[in-house]
Amino acid sequence: MKVTIGIIIVLLIALGVWLSLTAGHIEPSQQAGQTASSTPAGWVVYSDAAGRFSVSYPQGYSANGAVFTIPASLYQGTNLSSDTSISVVDIPQGQDCKDASSTDAGAGNRYEETVFATPIASGCLAVRYFVHYGAIENYPQDAVREFDRQALLAQFDAIRATLVVR
């Protein structure tokens, strides 16, 4: 048991270091008035009602406004939860407009949030990664496989790269 806890601690530290090294603002090519690269084939384009931004996401994601929840193919049979999502959110003027990350745990669940923020005229626009999963050691052996963190974050990064701020 001590070895498992030690491994988890090391993995969380490694994740924190990785997040701090890879966290960054929305790419300069996506700043206001500039165009984004073309939308990947088969992806869906979402534009907010106010016309301030657009973002593209792969088919299979569920969209609820500017919240894009992962498809079942990414979580079925794994310890990843179905409410894992990427979203574009407004941060009102007067609040901090900076990148942030946090982790939390409770009752065998793990929650990770990473926010990539950029200032806009009305305050701040941020892309938020929300990753929710169960502690793999809490599942019976061979009941589920551990989700592919790198593949998930790479897909979220690809979605974030399509953001166009107007």
Side-chain angles (χ1 to χ4, degrees):
M1 185 65 170
K2 288 182 181 180
V3 171
T4 302
I5 292 172
I7 290 171
I8 292 170
I9 290 170
V10 169
L11 289 173
L12 288 174
I13 291 170
L15 174 65
V17 169
W18 179 81
L19 286 173
S20 69
L21 292 174
T22 61
H25 292 279
I26 296 169
E27 295 301 315
S29 65
Q30 298 160 345
Q31 297 296 327
Q34 298 201 7
T35 60
S37 59
S38 61
T39 300
W43 282 33
V44 179
V45 178
Y46 170 85
S47 295
D48 76 312
R52 293 171 301 135
F53 70 89
S54 65
V55 66
S56 300
Y57 58 94
Q59 289 186 17
Y61 274 70
S62 298
N64 183 3
V67 178
F68 311 100
T69 306
I70 61 170
S73 61
L74 291 180
Y75 65 81
Q76 285 181 334
T78 75
N79 62 324
L80 187 61
S81 294
S82 62
D83 62 344
T84 296
S85 63
I86 180 171
S87 57
V88 181
V89 296
D90 277 317
I91 299 173
Q93 209 162 20
Q95 293 188 14
D96 283 341
C97 185
K98 60 183 178 180
D99 296 347
S101 65
S102 66
T103 59
D104 198 4
N109 288 289
R110 305 294 184 259
Y111 307 92
E112 299 172 4
E113 180 179 39
T114 306
V115 176
F116 302 92
T118 194
I120 59 172
S122 62
C124 186
L125 194 63
V127 176
R128 174 183 176 252
Y129 297 5
F130 176 71
V131 181
H132 173 199
Y133 58 96
I136 195 71
E137 64 272 8
N138 289 344
Y139 292 90
Q141 188 173 358
D142 299 324
V144 298
R145 68 185 184 286
E146 193 163 4
F147 77 98
D148 188 339
R149 174 182 308 286
Q150 287 184 319
L152 176 68
L153 294 178
Q155 192 164 89
F156 281 4
D157 289 343
I159 294 168
R160 180 169 56 101
T162 69
L163 180 68
V164 177
V165 180
R166 294 183 173 80

